[in-house]
Amino acid sequence: MKLLKVTAASATVLALALSATACGSDDGDDSGSSGGGKKITIGIKFDQPGLGQKTPDGYEGFDVDVATYVAKKLGYSEDQIEWKESKSADRETMLQRGDVDFIAATYSITDERAAKVDFAGPYLLAHQDVLVRADDDSIKSQEDLNSKKLCSVTGSTSAQNIKDKLAPKAQLQPYPTYSACLTGLQNGAIDALTTDDSILAGYAAQSQFKGKFKLGGFKMTNENYGIGVKKGSDLKDKINTALEAMVSDGAWDKAVKDNFGPANYKNEPAPKIGDIKS
């Protein structure tokens, strides 16, 4: 009988423990779909100065500032944000798998991508351009790229644009990151790095590269940066509301000045939500 009493007591304790664990699971829900949970996971670039960069002191850049502002409007403080690196080729997969709640990573809105994920925004209008060595005067127009070794990042719209229409005869060499492209440009392995002018300006403005590179000044495309979310997510409308607030209260202009001002980047005005420039 004594054994039976202990067993019954143990069963009661176990049931209570399981119940407490279940309650704890509810309290610890870290999903960012509705805001207010313990954390929100946001995808950014880790290697793009001025936009999304991981540093010894944390994370910085325009995309980081935008994402932080949006997260706050969704109910999350800075210390509740978990940052994840979102490389160009991985972004749709990360959203579809639920690895992140949203992505703010120089993510150009395209029809092909919009078939797989949803976009809030746009929140910045950039243009495809090229970065070349400061002493290279052989690239004076878009047409000059056709005879050059050109680098862009695997999975980016910039690489596809070059291949399809902008300079189809260029020797396109896709690298995994823009930093890798920059190294190739610096050592002469490639002739030009192509991507959005906002990204290129961030690299050119770094103190260690001062005077070494220059922008071509070619506005070859319109790149409408959006915030990617999983298809059907209710976050889209909430993020759009946050982006509108960021523009109206002046935080958007401040973020532009803080991150692009040192490079004298001539940014476009803040775009209207849903206004996609072709």
Side-chain angles (χ1 to χ4, degrees), residues 109-261:
I109 302 171
T110 67
D111 291 340
E112 181 181 3
R113 290 171 176 167
K116 301 175 183 177
V117 301
D118 285 341
F119 285 99
Y123 63 91
L124 183 72
L125 176 62
H127 306 283
Q128 186 169 348
D129 201 353
V130 294
L131 191 69
V132 299
R133 290 181 292 276
D135 59 356
D136 186 353
D137 295 322
S138 65
I139 302 176
K140 297 179 180 179
S141 68
Q142 178 180 321
E143 290 71 25
D144 292 333
L145 298 174
N146 279 299
S147 61
K148 300 296 184 180
K149 293 178 182 178
L150 200 58
C151 182
S152 194
V153 168
T154 305
S156 70
T157 54
S158 300
Q160 197 64 40
N161 287 338
I162 289 293
K163 182 178 179 181
D164 291 347
K165 55 189 176 183
L166 299 178
K169 295 182 180 179
Q171 299 176 47
L172 185 61
Q173 300 184 16
Y175 282 35
T177 65
Y178 293 111
S179 295
C181 282
L182 194 68
T183 299
L185 179 61
Q186 193 171 13
N187 63 28
I190 59 171
D191 300 308
L193 160 57
T194 184
T195 187
D196 305 344
D197 51 8
S198 57
I199 298 172
L200 298 175
Y203 281 118
Q206 292 183 93
S207 58
Q208 67 267 38
F209 298 133
K210 187 175 181 180
K212 293 183 178 180
F213 303 114
K214 62 184 179 182
L215 285 162
F218 315 143
K219 292 187 176 183
M220 298 186 284
T221 65
N222 291 325
E223 303 298 332
N224 304 272
Y225 289 179
I227 292 181
V229 298
K230 190 173 184 178
K231 202 74 174 172
S233 172
D234 63 354
L235 278 179
K236 177 181 175 179
D237 291 340
K238 296 176 182 179
I239 293 173
N240 279 333
T241 299
L243 291 174
E244 289 175 334
M246 188 175 188
V247 173
S248 64
D249 69 14
W252 188 90
D253 285 325
K254 182 178 184 303
V256 169
K257 183 178 180 181
D258 289 346
N259 293 289
F260 299 132

Side-chain angles (χ1 to χ4, degrees), residues 258-278:
D258 289 346
N259 293 289
F260 299 132
N264 295 315
Y265 174 59
K266 308 300 181 183
N267 66 283
E268 300 279 3
K272 300 293 184 182
I273 299 299
D275 184 12
I276 311 298
K277 302 294 186 184
S278 59

Side-chain angles (χ1 to χ4, degrees), residues 9 22 42 51 95 99 107 276:
I42 304 173
L51 286 148
L95 288 169
D99 296 342
Y107 202 179
I276 311 298

